[in-house]
Amino acid sequence: MSHIDYGIFQIINHLAISERFLNPLMIFLAEKAEYLFFAGIIFYWFYHKSQNRKMVIEAILAACVALSINGEIGHFFYRNRPFVTHHVNWLIPHVKNASFPSDHATAAFVIATAIWIWKKRDGWMWLVLAAGIALSRVWTGVHYPLDVVAGMLIGTSVAFAIHFLLVRFEEMNKVILWLIEYYEKIESNLLKKTHLVRKR
């Protein structure tokens, strides 16, 4: 399996030489595209349509669980980064920490899947972006293909599992709704105070 994984890595990573015109895009995806997910979460939270805030809480909860799983896996199964073990086309700086599984791929896919569960049209766009991030991590030499595939599977599985649990267990659902209502009361009071200050 590791031989096949490295063979696929070499094919993708060599694209940094043969298709170097795409390197700026891949570097952006590998280093900065995760911030688009943060921006998306903030947008959905404040673009207050029905169920958006519930979707955001579900996505954040799923991301926390998925990344915690990654942390535990990293303790029990440590794998060096490709640039530590091999001569690679290394396009972005990175610390020499655990390579498996990919936190970037996990975070991208868990949030994209959580959005897809609630909003299919939007979700496809986020899933394409998540796939681009996963590919870019191999292209730029900081992950093996198996690292990002594992991240994709963990992120997707956890997003579905958290959604299932929240649908299945009404009490958990009630807690989330209470938190949203409590936040909205605070938000409403702050907006009222801001409005009064502006009137003065």
Side-chain angles (χ1 to χ4, degrees):
M1 178 63 78
S2 61
H3 178 71
I4 296 170
D5 191 30
Y6 180 56
I8 298 171
F9 168 81
Q10 286 182 303
I11 293 169
I12 297 172
N13 185 241
H14 183 69
L15 295 172
I17 301 298
S18 62
E19 311 295 334
R20 65 175 69 242
F21 71 96
L22 289 173
N23 285 350
L25 173 62
M26 290 299 160
I27 290 170
F28 170 78
L29 289 172
E31 288 191 311
K32 306 296 183 186
E34 62 180 328
Y35 297 114
L36 296 177
F37 281 90
F38 298 147
I41 286 295
I42 293 168
F43 169 78
Y44 284 120
W45 182 261
F46 288 104
Y47 185 62
H48 186 32
K49 293 185 77 172
S50 176
Q51 303 296 329
N52 270 12
R53 287 182 170 172
K54 191 174 177 184
M55 177 188 75
V56 167
I57 289 178
E58 191 172 298
I60 293 171
L61 179 60
C64 291
V65 172
L67 291 172
S68 296
I69 291 171
N70 277 14
E72 292 303 311
I73 292 173
H75 287 307
F76 291 103
F77 179 78
Y78 187 90
R79 187 187 201 188
N80 282 323
R81 299 269 172 182
F83 59 81
V84 174
T85 310
H86 306 283
H87 176 71
V88 306
N89 299 307
W90 186 15
L91 303 185
I92 61 174
H94 205 288
V95 294
K96 297 177 181 180
N97 58 357
S99 183
F100 181 90
S102 166
D103 284 340
H104 276 75
T106 301
F109 273 99
V110 74
I111 293 173
T113 303
I115 294 171
W116 183 87
I117 290 168
W118 288 85
K119 297 174 175 291
K120 295 294 186 289
R121 185 180 294 179
D122 289 12
W124 285 118
M125 176 189 71
W126 290 108
L127 285 168
V128 168
L129 179 59
I133 289 174
L135 174 65
S136 73
R137 301 296 287 179
V138 181
W139 185 299
T140 55
V142 296
H143 277 294
Y144 293 101
L146 192 57
D147 300 340
V148 298
V149 169
M152 177 190 73
L153 292 174
I154 292 167
T156 303
S157 300
V158 170
F160 276 108
I162 293 296
H163 181 72
F164 172 80
L165 288 172
L166 292 177
V167 169
R168 184 76 181 270
F169 296 101
E170 189 62 31
E171 291 305 314
M172 293 173 70
N173 224 0
K174 286 179 181 177
V175 170
I176 288 176
L177 290 173
W178 180 83
L179 287 171
I180 292 171
E181 287 174 6
Y182 184 74
Y183 168 83
E184 287 177 348
K185 285 179 183 177
I186 295 172
E187 184 183 59
S188 179
N189 287 335
L190 286 173
L191 288 173
K192 284 178 184 176
K193 287 178 182 178
T194 303
H195 184 66
L196 287 171
V197 169
R198 284 178 179 174
K199 275 190 170 181
R200 291 175 189 173

